[in-house]
Amino acid sequence: MGSSVEVVKETLKHIKSEHACVIGVRLFRPWVPADFISVLPHSVKRIATLDRTKESGAQGEPLYMDVCASLMSCNRYGVFVSGGRYGLASKDFSPRMALAVLQNVLRKDTASIQHPFTVGIIDDVTHLSLSLGKDVTPLSDNVTQCVFWGFGSDGTVGANKEAAKIIGNSHPDMKVQAYFEYDAKKSSGWTISHMRFSPSEEINAPYKIQDAQANYVACHNESYVEANKFDVVRFIKKGGSFFLNTRIASMDRDKHIKALEDKVSPKILRTLALRKVNFYIMDAGRLATKYGLKGRINMICMTVFFRLSGVLPLDEAITLLRKAIIKAYSNKGEEIVQRNLELLNAVSTDPQFLVSIEVPSRWRRATLTEERRAYSHRHIALIDDEKTRKFMEEIAEPVSNLEGDDIPISKFLDNEMIGGVMLPGTTRYEKRRPNPSALIPKWNSSACTQCNQCVAVCPHAVIRPFIVTRDEADNAPNPDTFVTVKALGNDLAGKRYTLQISPLDCTGCNACVQACPEAPKALEMHDVEDVLSSGGEENWNYAVNLPERGDLVDKYTLKGSQFQLPLMEFSGACSGCGETPYFKMLTQLFGERMIIANATGCSTIWGGSFPSNPYTVSQKTKRGPAWANSLFEDNAEYGFGMFSAMKHRRQRLIKLVENYVHEAEITNDLQRSKEEIELLSLLHEWLEFRNEKSDKCTHLFDKMKPLFQSLLSLKEMKHSNLEKIWSDRDMFPKLTQWIVGGDGWAYDIGFGGLDHVEAFQANDVNVLVVDTEMYSNTGGQQSKATPAGASVKFAMGGKQQTKKNMGEIFMTYEHVYVASVCLSNQTQLLQALVEADKHDGPSFVVCYAPCINQGVRPEGLNDMFDECKYAVDSGYWPLYRYNPALLIEGKNPFILDSKKLRKEVTSFLKREGRFINLRKAHPEIADELFAKMNQDVHHRMELMLNRAAGYKSFSTKDEASVQVLFASETGTAQQVARDFADACTLSHGADAMNDIDINDLNGTTTIFFVSTCGQGAMPQNAKAFYKSLCACNEPFQEGTKFSVMGLGDSSYYFFCKAAKDIEYEMLRLGATSIHPTGLGDDSAEEGLDDGLHNWLDGIWPALKLQPPAEVPHIVPMKLEFSKRAILKDEEDRNAVSQYINSFGASSVSICELKSLSEVGHNRDFISFTLDIKDKLSYELGDALEIFPVNDPIRVAEFLHAYSSEFDEHTVLHLSHTFGITGEVSIGCLFNNILDLFGKPTMHFLQQLATFEEDKDTRLLMLNKDNLKKMTSQKGVTYADLLLEYKSAHPPLAALLAMIPPMKGRAYSITSAPSVTPNSIELCILIDTWWCEEGMRYGLTCDMLRKMQVGDTIHCRIKSGSMEPPKHDQPVVCVGIGSGLAPHLSFLRDRVHAAEMGNDVAPFSLYFGNRFEKREFLYRTELEGIVKKHGSWFKLHTAFSRDIAGKKVYVQDLVAMQEDAYLNLLERKGMLYVCGNRNLPKPLMESLKESFARGMTPSIPEINQCMADASKAVEDMYVHGFAQQEVW
């Protein structure tokens, strides 16, 4: 509290006042009045107290109150006391402020004295602040004052500390003072060094250098002098020296003045001219690069300082610098020392490097042009919210420009800053220029597989994937550089994918490049200026303002999670920070419903340093995380308090809702409005799902909100229960409480509270700890998380104790979810976060976070991702999950996710300065501690492997005779593998392929589950294994057996390629396949399950095991029988509308029907034209998904035969079942929703068997062969089975849950929206299939074949799997049968473009069918286009059944003609393939032949070109130039 004493004392000395003195209070308690009175001179008539403490509710500050009380108690009367506060908001207390206090208390009469008062702020609200006069300079002219502006981590501060040592030790009487200011943005923020030197005079100045007092000012970063940045020369005195490090110095000298005028703020130019400053510039960066020390400018700038400041004679300074260089860099080798010495010599002697600028007199009148003003404020101009714009202009911008001390109090009130409330997302307007490395990543779209791993690891959320439409891509501000590619995945069919980087927010840390799994990398670092000049900033701004489309994908997959908007972005963390990616992923998963209690530390500095707030909200929903910062020691209690309050409030809301709903049920008021009825239904549903940990409750509230608002606008609803519910509306979402912080809090000072919170199962809170293994925010002191052997502050000789194992501690409770995670395994990280959130009870997730204080070598945090990989691969950081939910299922709750040591831990220790330094200083201690760590790591791995292998009939994994391995990118294959391993009694569990050696396969039976990522690539957790497998040439031992289950999507050319590659290599090495490879097809009608179950049916007998018994789970539908006997037709139609609207479908009418094949032909191709005006809109390449309906007559017959208790007219009341709320007839449900006449699954029979009491009948029902037999004989349906096994007879509520809804079937659209925007044409083959009893129709085809003009169809637009071509792209289309449809759509669009006068590229269509006369679809139209547009359109047809004994297919034509070669290879065109799945493989061979023919005219040489042709065909598929739609 005595921090102002020396300042006041020095000010009094300077003004030589005889009217004032100072009493310094340095120990406030105990306060002894007599002692105070004894030192108070008798002549004192007025006292001004200065205190930093505000005591709310008191009449004054504590010091003021004690002084007043002391004067009274000691009978010292007649003394006027004025109490005031200083240092508000931690403002520096200067002589100028001290003088203002003195002048206030020395006013002529006491009535005019400001009392109480504040000093240092501008209080224009209560008007208590004292006005400040001119700056006061107590120091003599003998003191040299210097200010240095640096960039965090550029070495400026370190160099200045070294300079202070050099100067201070140069002479016995030399006095030195140094003070350093740092931005909260850590290593990427600004730094200011205040330094004072005096040859003899004591420097007693505990305050910063004031304006216009510095002899020397240096700015080491040229971006600081730009407009709207810092006023770097405000410190400089008249005639002082200013040094600027700038690239302008490398220009020709006659260009310097113009370049400086364009670069430097006019305000700075005016100051340089008016104060007659000596101005010098140098390009230190270029000079450092010249001498092989790129980026190392600190020694250069220090030399310039000695050369210009005159603090020491230059020769003496150079001699001292030489010694400092040798001392500092000798451990880096003689070459580094020599380079620095040569650089020192050049800077100190060569005049060409340091350029003196003669300041033009016109700079006195320099002004900011409107163009430069607009450019400097361009990011503020992007803000469309007036409140945010006002905050940024009045608060954030001045604070960012270090002018926050000048903001008046009224501005904070105007911007609603009372109570610590902060606007969200302010960091997006700050921008990070300069970038620490001057490099940012650039995307190579052709090498990208859209895995989004680079996005997940980005510390600052500056690299993001965007889902865009073709129109959005075309309308980008720079279409040439706004690169988009076809988005991969069924969910994103018809969409484009782009990866954009924010060039003004990126710090160039290189983490994304390291995380990219591709070879070659899909990202590489480029100069940021090159990216900016090519429109990088405009592209980013355009992309972030496109619609958010994260809801199109599953956000609980790694790829899908990164399409979600990060609600923590552009933080002030270090470049390459290892903490922020974890927080960012949290907000992507749960951000719109999460509450965060954040312990003080690094995560609060980068997470909430006013006015920077990286936590933001979704622009779509306006929701985001609620964040608050606690003290360091009580964060667990703080977060627990939040949870307890929310729990109490939500229980109150539940009670209010239950009472409201119950009251409504009792009264049964028939006069209720439609809104209230719908609200009641939604509240019912909310009560049912209120505890579900997902976004469901949030979505339900979104539906309720307009209903609440409508009802509460009515007068009779005032003060009602509904209004009470509305007052607690923020509790409708299922909120998730996260308590987060660093290891210093969790392991050390806050552990007691954390342990208390985790100890009780009822505390449903989640804890996330980012473990940097030291107190990173305060400079790198040891914590209990610091490992043995680390040399850190307070343990420079190497920490002796081992690291505290928090995971083990909390696993002993058994009810705590525990996970140890790392960024190197992002899938495991995501899985752990999701499981922690879903866990009903406390969770603890500890994350490995590389930190700048660890001294990562060789590139610091530019190696952050590689450092994570090293930590895991060496066993230094194990990955595991402990899930108590598995205990309930009788499974092992402990899952080890890193099961193999791929590197020695000593190789990891050699990468970090904290371990390297110990070896240098104490090699014998280091050797001992490192050896112990190596031993501990191996011992820990052995214990964890045994722990993970328990819970079966064997105690260790070695006793298992079957091993299960997986290669998984998104987690699907991993989950399937683990489910299989749980069911397989011969297996210990499932492991990632990379976690075992291929030698472990010898003599064993191995089951592989393999997914394919990207274009046929092996998943990351199997690449090392597969590489070893391919490199192995030694056959496996006899008895080595295997089987492979592949998971993929047949719409991709490389369907299950990775699985097939594993199979090939295993067979090559002599292993025996015990069962053919299974292929699970995600695009199949039944999804992956169909292929998986078929494979499982064979693998269990192959392993000589009984299939595991399935216990079917049935959740009956919630329904009530209505008292009404019958419904009107329009009421059922209303229910159907609710159903189809629930998934975005519409009802459209058929306006034209036309048969495309010969009358009487056994294959019926029909053209359907639908009127979609005001109902649907479509884009080129889209498909139409049609939802079938059942035959009402067959439905009625079934219901009559099935039950006498209900029939098609029976009325039910549903509550949000099938999207229907209200009354509906049973017949309507079976007609329009339930797949009653679909093909039944074995799972359905298992469910049905639970209702069968007869044992023999039940065994027959569970016999899979019996179901296959019935299917082949008569094409059995759900209805058939229900009547066949009528004795089972499930009740209606269960029956409705057992029969699945009918699935829509997608048909490619034949029409083009550019030609017929209000109608859609489909080309449909009425498909049939056969069983022993005869021909059967598919459900949708059976419905369509009976339809007439005027009938309606339920349908919706679905994005097609093929991306349409641009008009200037050459095209080759290959289609058979109704596969002509999308090609005809593309062709019609191109014809329209040509007829509108546009230039179009060549288009070749290869169409095949069976018979020309009967099945030449659209013949007249196609031949007409050939005749009219033959200059660019070619038609090739093949009809396979026309010539007996000679079948010609479309692929044969492709091979024989040059169109494919010319349009695809030569002209880089697009290939589109549409037909059944037998088409692509032979077509590929034909393409190879066509390419080979084109490559050489000589037939003998064709075979030599086949390898190149094969590569060219494969590249087309890899890079998206070949697309297919197959069935």
Side-chain angles (χ1 to χ4, degrees), residues 103-117:
Q103 290 171 342
N104 178 52
V105 81
L106 291 173
R107 289 181 182 178
K108 187 174 181 179
D109 57 82
T110 56
S112 63
I113 295 175
Q114 175 69 54
H115 168 70
F117 68 85

Side-chain angles (χ1 to χ4, degrees), residues 1063-1175:
E1063 178 190 36
Y1064 174 83
E1065 292 298 330
M1066 291 296 292
L1067 292 173
R1068 180 181 67 83
L1069 294 173
T1072 302
S1073 174
I1074 61 172
H1075 185 62
T1077 293
L1079 300 177
D1081 184 1
D1082 198 35
S1083 66
E1085 187 174 351
E1086 299 297 330
L1088 295 170
D1089 289 347
D1090 194 34
L1092 176 61
H1093 286 302
N1094 288 337
W1095 178 81
L1096 287 171
D1097 288 345
I1099 197 63
W1100 295 120
L1103 292 172
K1104 299 179 180 178
L1105 291 173
Q1106 285 294 320
E1110 290 192 35
V1111 182
H1113 180 61
I1114 305 170
V1115 180
M1117 293 286 183
K1118 290 194 173 182
L1119 54 85
E1120 296 176 5
F1121 284 94
S1122 173
K1123 295 178 181 179
R1124 297 177 65 185
I1126 196 168
L1127 289 181
K1128 298 177 182 178
D1129 288 345
E1130 56 264 30
E1131 291 178 283
D1132 269 342
R1133 285 196 293 270
N1134 177 59
V1136 173
S1137 295
Q1138 289 186 61
Y1139 168 65
I1140 65 172
N1141 290 338
S1142 68
F1143 49 82
S1146 300
S1147 293
V1148 300
S1149 61
I1150 301 173
C1151 58
E1152 186 179 356
L1153 279 173
K1154 185 167 54 178
S1155 178
L1156 299 174
S1157 50
E1158 188 180 60
V1159 177
H1161 183 46
N1162 61 1
R1163 293 213 310 162
D1164 197 4
F1165 291 91
I1166 301 176
S1167 164
F1168 289 80
T1169 303
L1170 310 174
D1171 181 4
I1172 63 167
K1173 188 175 181 180
D1174 300 326
K1175 295 286 187 71

Side-chain angles (χ1 to χ4, degrees), residues 420-691:
V421 176
M422 289 173 65
L423 278 180
T426 59
T427 50
R428 78 182 61 174
Y429 308 114
E430 291 181 349
K431 304 306 168 187
R432 287 288 191 93
R433 200 170 184 196
N435 170 321
S437 67
L439 300 172
I440 68 168
K442 188 175 181 181
W443 182 43
N444 176 9
S445 60
S446 62
C448 181
T449 58
Q450 303 178 23
C451 66
N452 287 350
Q453 292 185 41
C454 59
V455 184
V457 80
C458 178
H460 293 91
V462 300
I463 179 169
R464 300 184 190 176
F466 294 93
I467 304 167
V468 300
T469 64
R470 170 59 74 90
D471 286 344
E472 289 168 347
D474 292 341
N475 293 329
N478 303 287
D480 292 339
T481 56
F482 192 85
V483 180
T484 64
V485 295
K486 177 188 176 185
L488 302 177
N490 284 340
D491 294 336
L492 302 179
K495 297 292 189 294
R496 306 287 293 171
Y497 175 96
T498 183
L499 197 67
Q500 294 294 324
I501 296 97
S502 175
L504 296 184
D505 291 299
C506 179
T507 64
C509 70
N510 200 52
C512 56
V513 176
Q514 289 187 340
C516 177
E518 304 309 319
K521 297 281 189 181
L523 292 164
E524 56 184 8
M525 303 303 285
H526 282 251
D527 190 294
V528 65
E529 298 301 329
D530 292 343
V531 176
L532 284 168
S533 64
S534 60
E537 183 183 1
E538 293 85 355
N539 287 343
W540 170 264
N541 290 334
Y542 176 73
V544 294
N545 285 299
L546 292 174
E548 295 174 23
R549 295 191 172 99
D551 56 350
L552 297 180
V553 294
D554 179 4
K555 73 174 180 179
Y556 296 122
T557 66
L558 177 59
K559 179 178 178 178
S561 70
Q562 297 313 297
F563 283 118
Q564 312 307 311
L565 182 72
L567 300 180
M568 198 284 291
E569 58 182 9
F570 316 133
S571 73
C574 297
S575 176
C577 175
E579 294 185 350
T580 49
Y582 299 107
F583 287 76
K584 183 186 71 170
M585 185 176 285
L586 267 184
T587 67
Q588 289 172 302
L589 295 172
F590 319 117
E592 294 191 27
R593 58 182 184 91
M594 76 185 301
I595 314 292
I596 302 174
N598 203 153
T600 296
C602 262
S603 55
T604 56
I605 303 306
W606 55 251
S609 292
F610 186 86
S612 295
N613 185 3
Y615 291 96
T616 187
V617 298
S618 163
Q619 295 305 306
K620 189 174 183 179
T621 65
K622 304 302 179 185
R623 295 193 187 94
W627 180 94
N629 168 216
S630 160
L631 295 172
F632 189 46
E633 59 271 16
D634 70 350
N635 188 50
E637 297 92 321
Y638 185 57
F640 176 65
M642 292 179 180
F643 164 74
S644 299
M646 287 191 303
K647 183 178 179 181
H648 172 76
R649 289 189 62 216
R650 202 159 195 264
Q651 286 174 341
R652 182 175 67 193
L653 175 66
I654 292 168
K655 192 68 178 174
L656 286 169
V657 172
E658 286 176 337
N659 289 342
Y660 177 74
V661 170
H662 180 62
E663 183 181 326
E665 288 174 344
I666 293 174
T667 57
N668 195 22
D669 189 351
L670 297 178
Q671 301 301 314
R672 283 198 183 92
S673 65
K674 180 182 177 182
E675 288 85 355
E676 190 173 4
I677 293 171
E678 188 175 352
L679 179 60
L680 280 167
S681 175
L682 288 166
L683 289 172
H684 264 294
E685 190 172 0
W686 179 80
L687 286 171
E688 180 182 351
F689 293 101
R690 64 180 182 265
N691 292 321

Side-chain angles (χ1 to χ4, degrees), residues 881-1175:
R881 289 169 291 130
Y882 177 87
N883 191 351
L886 297 177
L887 280 170
I888 301 170
E889 301 174 23
K891 299 177 181 178
N892 188 350
F894 184 77
I895 302 167
L896 183 60
D897 293 305
S898 57
K899 299 180 179 179
K900 182 180 178 182
L901 300 179
R902 297 181 179 84
K903 294 182 174 69
E904 285 298 317
V905 73
T906 50
S907 67
F908 170 77
L909 303 181
K910 292 175 183 176
R911 290 173 55 89
E912 296 196 358
R914 55 180 174 156
F915 298 111
I916 295 170
N917 293 339
L918 179 65
R919 183 175 290 280
K920 286 179 181 177
H922 308 286
E924 65 289 342
I925 297 176
D927 288 342
E928 180 183 347
L929 290 174
F930 293 174
K932 185 177 185 305
M933 181 180 287
N934 191 53
Q935 180 182 348
D936 290 346
V937 164
H938 282 79
H939 179 61
R940 180 177 63 192
M941 178 59 74
E942 184 179 351
L943 290 176
M944 289 194 296
L945 283 169
N946 287 333
R947 184 174 191 173
Y951 284 77
K952 282 199 175 175
S953 57
F954 37 80
S955 56
T956 66
K957 64 180 289 186
D958 295 334
E959 298 178 18
S961 59
V962 172
Q963 60 180 339
V964 179
L965 303 180
F966 60 81
S968 180
E969 195 69 30
T970 63
T972 302
Q974 174 180 331
Q975 190 57 53
V976 173
R978 285 185 167 152
D979 289 344
F980 178 84
D982 288 340
C984 179
T985 56
L986 303 179
S987 168
H988 79 282
D991 300 324
M993 290 187 196
N994 281 357
D995 286 336
I996 69 160
D997 292 315
I998 62 169
N999 292 330
D1000 296 338
L1001 305 183
N1002 264 323
T1004 66
T1005 298
T1006 304
I1007 308 298
F1008 296 93
F1009 291 85
V1010 186
S1011 67
T1012 300
C1013 69
Q1015 293 289 356
M1018 192 68 64
Q1020 285 299 304
N1021 56 11
K1023 280 190 172 180
F1025 172 88
Y1026 180 64
K1027 185 177 180 181
S1028 299
L1029 199 63
C1030 294
C1032 181
N1033 290 313
E1034 184 177 346
F1036 287 127
Q1037 296 174 6
E1038 188 176 350
T1040 304
K1041 302 174 183 178
F1042 77 98
S1043 184
V1044 181
M1045 179 64 214
L1047 307 178
D1049 184 334
S1050 64
S1051 66
Y1052 291 97
Y1053 173 73
F1054 296 102
F1055 175 51
C1056 287
K1057 181 178 184 298
K1060 296 169 185 176
D1061 289 344
I1062 292 290
E1063 178 190 36
Y1064 174 83
E1065 292 298 330
M1066 291 296 292
L1067 292 173
R1068 180 181 67 83
L1069 294 173
T1072 302
S1073 174
I1074 61 172
H1075 185 62
T1077 293
L1079 300 177
D1081 184 1
D1082 198 35
S1083 66
E1085 187 174 351
E1086 299 297 330
L1088 295 170
D1089 289 347
D1090 194 34
L1092 176 61
H1093 286 302
N1094 288 337
W1095 178 81
L1096 287 171
D1097 288 345
I1099 197 63
W1100 295 120
L1103 292 172
K1104 299 179 180 178
L1105 291 173
Q1106 285 294 320
E1110 290 192 35
V1111 182
H1113 180 61
I1114 305 170
V1115 180
M1117 293 286 183
K1118 290 194 173 182
L1119 54 85
E1120 296 176 5
F1121 284 94
S1122 173
K1123 295 178 181 179
R1124 297 177 65 185
I1126 196 168
L1127 289 181
K1128 298 177 182 178
D1129 288 345
E1130 56 264 30
E1131 291 178 283
D1132 269 342
R1133 285 196 293 270
N1134 177 59
V1136 173
S1137 295
Q1138 289 186 61
Y1139 168 65
I1140 65 172
N1141 290 338
S1142 68
F1143 49 82
S1146 300
S1147 293
V1148 300
S1149 61
I1150 301 173
C1151 58
E1152 186 179 356
L1153 279 173
K1154 185 167 54 178
S1155 178
L1156 299 174
S1157 50
E1158 188 180 60
V1159 177
H1161 183 46
N1162 61 1
R1163 293 213 310 162
D1164 197 4
F1165 291 91
I1166 301 176
S1167 164
F1168 289 80
T1169 303
L1170 310 174
D1171 181 4
I1172 63 167
K1173 188 175 181 180
D1174 300 326
K1175 295 286 187 71

Side-chain angles (χ1 to χ4, degrees), residues 1213-1345:
H1213 186 277
L1214 304 183
S1215 177
H1216 281 278
T1217 302
F1218 301 120
I1220 299 172
T1221 296
E1223 292 180 322
V1224 62
S1225 70
I1226 290 179
C1228 180
L1229 293 179
F1230 279 91
N1231 289 343
N1232 296 279
I1233 300 176
L1234 299 174
D1235 195 9
L1236 183 63
F1237 303 112
K1239 180 182 176 183
T1241 63
M1242 192 62 209
H1243 180 68
F1244 172 79
L1245 264 179
Q1246 290 166 344
Q1247 289 180 316
L1248 188 61
T1250 60
F1251 297 96
E1252 178 56 60
E1253 296 181 358
D1254 183 73
K1255 183 178 179 181
D1256 292 336
T1257 304
R1258 189 163 62 247
L1259 287 174
L1260 181 64
M1261 294 169 72
L1262 295 175
N1263 187 327
K1264 293 182 180 180
D1265 292 334
N1266 181 53
L1267 177 60
K1268 292 179 181 178
K1269 181 180 178 182
M1270 294 175 73
T1271 302
S1272 65
Q1273 283 181 342
K1274 58 181 181 180
V1276 70
T1277 66
Y1278 287 102
D1280 294 334
L1281 290 180
L1282 287 167
L1283 297 179
E1284 178 77 18
Y1285 302 109
K1286 193 174 178 180
S1287 56
H1289 203 80
L1292 182 62
L1295 182 64
L1296 295 180
M1298 291 164 57
I1299 303 175
M1302 289 180 281
K1303 294 181 179 179
R1305 180 168 177 180
Y1307 294 93
S1308 296
I1309 295 175
T1310 312
S1311 53
S1314 58
V1315 183
T1316 56
N1318 294 325
S1319 65
I1320 284 177
E1321 182 183 359
L1322 303 176
C1323 171
I1324 297 176
L1325 169 63
I1326 302 301
D1327 208 3
T1328 58
W1329 57 279
W1330 293 80
C1331 61
E1332 292 177 13
E1333 292 186 2
M1335 186 178 74
R1336 298 285 189 268
Y1337 287 99
L1339 184 62
T1340 308
C1341 287
D1342 189 36
M1343 175 192 77
L1344 291 174
R1345 73 187 181 94

Side-chain angles (χ1 to χ4, degrees), residues 154-171:
D154 71 351
T156 294
V157 171
N160 288 333
K161 289 179 179 179
E162 185 63 30
K165 293 177 186 176
I166 292 173
I167 297 169
N169 294 327
S170 62
H171 298 287

Side-chain angles (χ1 to χ4, degrees), residues 1450-1485:
V1450 285
Q1451 59 264 31
D1452 299 325
L1453 300 183
V1454 170
M1456 291 186 290
Q1457 296 168 358
E1458 64 177 2
D1459 281 22
Y1461 170 75
L1462 291 175
N1463 288 334
L1464 300 179
L1465 202 58
E1466 285 287 306
R1467 299 167 182 161
K1468 306 297 182 185
M1470 295 291 298
L1471 171 68
Y1472 297 96
V1473 183
C1474 189
N1476 65 49
R1477 64 185 59 204
N1478 296 320
L1479 175 60
K1481 191 171 182 179
L1483 176 62
M1484 188 183 74
E1485 297 303 319

